Amino acid sequence: MIDFQTQPDRYRHWVLRIDDRVAFLDMAVDPGAGLHPGYELKLNSYDLGVDIELADAVQRLRFEHPEVGAVVIGSTLDRMFCAGANIGMLASSSHPLKVNFCKFTNETRNAMEDATRHSGQRYLAAIGGNAAGGGYELALATDHLMLIDDRNAAVSLPELPLLGVLPGTGGLTRLTDKRHVRRDRADVFCTLEEGIKGKKALDWRLVDELVPAPAFDETVARRAREFAAATDRPALANGVELTPVVRKFDDDVIEYTQVRVKFDRIRHVASITLHGPQESPPVDGDEAVDAGADFWPLRLARELEDAILHLRANELEIGSILIRSEGDMGLVLAYDTFLLSQADHWFGRELLLYWARLLRRVDVTSRTIITLVEPGSCFGGFMAELVLAADRSYMLLGERFEGDGDIAGLAFTESNRFGFPMSNGLSRIETRFWGDDEGAARASQAIGEKLDAGSALDAGLITDAIDDLDWDDELRIILEERAAFSPDGLTGMEANLRFPGPETLETKIFGRLTAWQNWVFSRPNASGEEGALRRYGTGVRPAYDQRRV
Amino acid sequence: MIDFQTQPDRYRHWVLRIDDRVAFLDMAVDPGAGLHPGYELKLNSYDLGVDIELADAVQRLRFEHPEVGAVVIGSTLDRMFCAGANIGMLASSSHPLKVNFCKFTNETRNAMEDATRHSGQRYLAAIGGNAAGGGYELALATDHLMLIDDRNAAVSLPELPLLGVLPGTGGLTRLTDKRHVRRDRADVFCTLEEGIKGKKALDWRLVDELVPAPAFDETVARRAREFAAATDRPALANGVELTPVVRKFDDDVIEYTQVRVKFDRIRHVASITLHGPQESPPVDGDEAVDAGADFWPLRLARELEDAILHLRANELEIGSILIRSEGDMGLVLAYDTFLLSQADHWFGRELLLYWARLLRRVDVTSRTIITLVEPGSCFGGFMAELVLAADRSYMLLGERFEGDGDIAGLAFTESNRFGFPMSNGLSRIETRFWGDDEGAARASQAIGEKLDAGSALDAGLITDAIDDLDWDDELRIILEERAAFSPDGLTGMEANLRFPGPETLETKIFGRLTAWQNWVFSRPNASGEEGALRRYGTGVRPAYDQRRV
């Protein structure tokens, strides 16, 4: 089982040091501590385990260190920044594992950009040695790339010449769409095994700053301090420690405190139930900080995120995820109001941004997501985003036959308008009605109302409303049907239908780039017996099927 | 060999009838006339041969029928509009052929939309029976879908439930991005084998108009006449007959009149040389019409298009295409000026639009394109777009050692600013410098100048300038290097680097949708022994690897 929970005192691969308002996060990969046997993580090459620690550090810096305004990604190795994804790991991984690895690493890099852009925590790359492949892609996710000028250190994307695959962790897209490297230069660069160093790397905009070797560390630190000085994060606030996520695994159930996951493996279904809060929100952001990791919206987010990541990595045959909720809608809406009201408090801002990132993880989770709105559920405000993030949503119409007379309610708020942008830059409501002004207007009128099934259906905010008589049967049929479809066909369909409208750097990475990379991965020229991934390091050249597709 | 040349009197699958300003193009697929043995084209199902005729008709309607303002796509079959791509054909095709088939059919559908949007020739679909899968995708490419209301006819995208693949000929993208069907409804629709008919099809925006059966033909004709009446195309102009393209195939050469293709199959390279005009352009559009299919820019375009399509379909192991030109730059620029000056003449407009479509075909051709600018070449104006469409472009610096003292020249004009939008909606120059304002300004200043290699390099409009001493060696090394890379890796890399910046319906179809479809096609769940494509029609259900990726 791959565990996505870790903490700094358990890191094997990173050294985190905080100096006043600057964090130094140095890669120091332990070659012998790969997630799986069979490969050695030499030269700061990485596997999913290395990236889980990086993601953890990026997350903790936001919550535990409100004072940190700049983060330097560096390396403890001499002459090597990072050699990229470990090739032995790639060659020995199954297709689903390779793809899942790339997705998670993409999300980690996006989280770095999100911190830079929205959270006043600007990332720098201190490239004191070679940054190759995924190593350079990691650097590309920072806002300022500083390359040592020692006649030796180069940046490179040697995936194509060495491995026959793409720089698929955002590399190709960030070259052209973030750094605006001209396409023909990008083409040349991506075919140069040895990469580009020195002044040419600067001229081609592959890095932002070239630093003479003797002054490297000092210049990096100074630049980081300058960036940190410009942050809007508070210098003296207390952080929120991300204490361990509490969970208990049984055969068919995972119990968290606010989240419960139940498996029906025969039907390839997992059901996730989210619990509403037990008490009212605090009076302000500082009081929320005092609640720490127990603060309900944070706890819920961390548990849901862990559940989603666990399903992705460890439950490959779960094809459909049902999302339910149970709780007091009034309290949920009170928290929703509270979060929006604290958007200018550093912790409030972090909570909103975290939920936005978590929801974007849901958007790119390649499982069918179905949200169920039933009597007793509490999908309101930010929780109602899960109704919009789903491939389909169903709401129980009227009372349950043997219920207590309750009916299902659903409530969208201002936070659904602005709070949680998708990776296309739009809200989920805007995306849902993209190009349909009439539908958008109708939905907009429903925001702020408490909706029953009929009014939610009329507003186009759910897929269907079903009464109790048909509820179980309809649901069974939908899930059986889903389980009978090609899992690959579903993955492809959902990846397309979830992203109508405009595209951005992020959607292009998950769309165009990832889809092509997955295709390349699945082809014999990469993964076959004689393919480049398998032949790498054997001294035997790969044998390619020369037919262009 | 697959031949992309045809003409109406050789059509096996379509009936074209013109009634005043309306063209009726009825699908009447001959089941026994498939391109390859082994499948029957029942129920208006299609293979590449059917689509080659459709593309031919779409093209001829523009050039040969300036008076036609509306085109109705219909069917001669009772209760069947079109059953989509033939499944036996798909199941028996190699991966490269399947992908090439989808690319061409996508281009044909885009050409229909291009005619509707830019050429005053609006397409309608007369759906008098079932439109299934690719049949409905064909209808989606029209501007107005009319569905017969006979309790029987439905539109459907049953690819996922029946075949385990995607509605990949634009279907998923056009549902959400063109017709603005809500994503959850699109999800439901794509899982319904039987599709949706009647009022629900209208309510869900799957069609634009529902027509009672008895009045169907009459209403379609009336609607088409209404659309045609609004066209800006001339009522009484003479058309330009697209006489057969003249070409001669030898082992290593294809000779057209303005184009020559030379193969070096050992190095996986084809070299295309384009010839400049022999005489000055005519005085106006009408005189150009008199020249007919011999009019140089039209002849050159048709020959180059045939060469590109031929390479794509019949020369799969050609990985790199060199593009050269020979001719009088002054005359080329005179034609370029002429074309721009005739943008408001129907024939001038068609020529500009045709070159734009042809260049977009180059953009999505999955071969490395390298344009070579040498002494004696004539890349000016619209021909210079081929310098920008290339993955790389090289220009000879200075004179040839044994030359006549000529140096290579290159000239961009206003037509490079506005004339030939890529599928992202931008010009190739805008795309090249997308996000790089300084580079864009420098390039902009070079427009209108006659550039030598040094100034073209300074303006960022070529990849490199190489002198005669190194020219042959450098080129040899580049081509050998290219041939040593994974063909799949190159396809994926080029598909990403060629499209920086914003995305549109068209780029999403060739990017996100196509890449996912290619991935799905290559997976055992679709194409394996027990996959859905192979098992279709056998009565045995496919056996799926249930792991989600």
Side-chain angles (χ1 to χ4, degrees), chain A residues 184 392 432 463 501 508 548, chain B residues 184 187 366 432 463 501 508:
Chain A
D184 54 347
R392 301 187 191 179
R432 185 174 182 88
T463 309
K508 286 175 83 164
R548 272 289 196 125
Chain B
D184 54 347
D187 181 297
S366 70
R432 185 174 183 89
T463 309
K508 287 176 80 165

Side-chain angles (χ1 to χ4, degrees), chain A residues 120-408:
Chain A
Q121 218 166 51
R122 194 163 169 191
Y123 275 73
L124 298 80
I127 309 173
N130 284 318
Y136 179 53
E137 290 180 292
L138 171 62
L140 281 172
T142 71
D143 199 44
H144 191 76
L145 283 68
M146 303 178 74
L147 176 64
I148 195 167
D149 190 12
D150 65 355
R151 294 162 178 251
N152 196 40
V155 297
S156 64
L157 292 175
E159 284 88 343
L160 176 70
L162 285 186
L163 307 169
V165 302
L166 306 182
T169 317
L172 291 179
T173 316
R174 284 198 176 88
L175 273 188
T176 55
D177 282 52
K178 182 180 183 183
R179 301 197 60 86
H180 309 304
V181 176
R182 233 171 54 203
R183 56 171 282 200
D184 54 347
R185 285 183 167 170
D187 181 296
V188 170
F189 176 57
C190 293
T191 59
L192 288 175
E193 216 175 292
E194 70 280 13
I196 291 180
K197 58 191 167 186
K199 184 159 180 308
K200 189 169 181 181
L202 191 64
D203 288 346
W204 282 29
R205 257 202 302 274
L206 301 170
V207 300
D208 296 290
E209 192 174 349
L210 199 60
V211 185
F216 188 68
D217 291 345
E218 185 205 318
T219 311
V220 165
R222 192 175 64 239
R223 197 71 67 238
R225 281 195 303 272
E226 286 165 14
F227 288 173
T231 187
D232 62 355
R233 294 172 70 87
L236 293 171
N238 288 327
V240 169
E241 192 195 339
L242 300 179
T243 53
V245 164
V246 176
R247 58 192 177 168
K248 181 164 162 281
F249 290 94
D250 278 328
D251 271 1
D252 292 332
V253 177
I254 311 172
E255 288 282 5
Y256 298 83
T257 69
Q258 308 300 313
V259 172
R260 182 167 199 260
V261 185
K262 200 170 176 331
F263 294 95
D264 179 348
R265 291 201 179 77
I266 290 164
R267 290 157 80 204
H268 302 284
V269 176
S271 183
I272 299 181
T273 304
L274 312 176
H275 299 300
Q278 297 295 315
E279 49 194 33
S280 297
V283 296
D284 60 20
D286 287 344
E287 202 178 306
V289 169
D290 293 341
D294 289 340
F295 187 56
W296 172 75
L298 177 56
R299 184 178 268 231
L300 181 67
R302 294 181 71 207
E303 295 180 358
L304 177 57
E305 182 170 55
D306 188 70
I308 296 278
L309 292 173
H310 173 77
L311 287 172
R312 278 197 201 166
N314 300 308
E315 296 281 356
L316 298 178
E317 297 208 355
I318 294 296
S320 294
I321 298 175
L322 300 178
I323 299 182
R324 292 184 155 100
S325 65
E326 284 175 13
D328 184 318
M329 174 73 94
L331 285 178
V332 170
L333 290 175
Y335 273 90
D336 183 67
T337 304
F338 175 82
L339 287 177
L340 270 198
S341 77
Q342 299 300 312
D344 292 333
H345 187 283
W346 78 267
F347 185 46
R349 178 169 78 177
E350 286 306 333
L351 286 166
L352 287 170
L353 291 169
Y354 183 21
W355 268 95
R357 290 197 301 285
L358 168 56
L359 288 161
R360 290 198 289 269
R361 277 208 208 269
V362 174
D363 292 333
V364 297
T365 293
S366 71
R367 313 296 168 96
T368 299
I369 315 271
I370 299 177
T371 299
L372 301 176
V373 188
E374 297 157 287
S377 73
C378 55
F379 289 110
F382 69 100
M383 285 187 71
E385 283 293 305
L386 290 162
V387 174
L388 305 172
D391 296 296
R392 301 187 191 179
S393 51
Y394 294 99
M395 195 159 171
L396 197 125
L397 181 69
E399 303 171 18
R400 288 222 188 265
F401 279 110
E402 301 190 357
D404 54 7
D406 266 10
I407 63 160

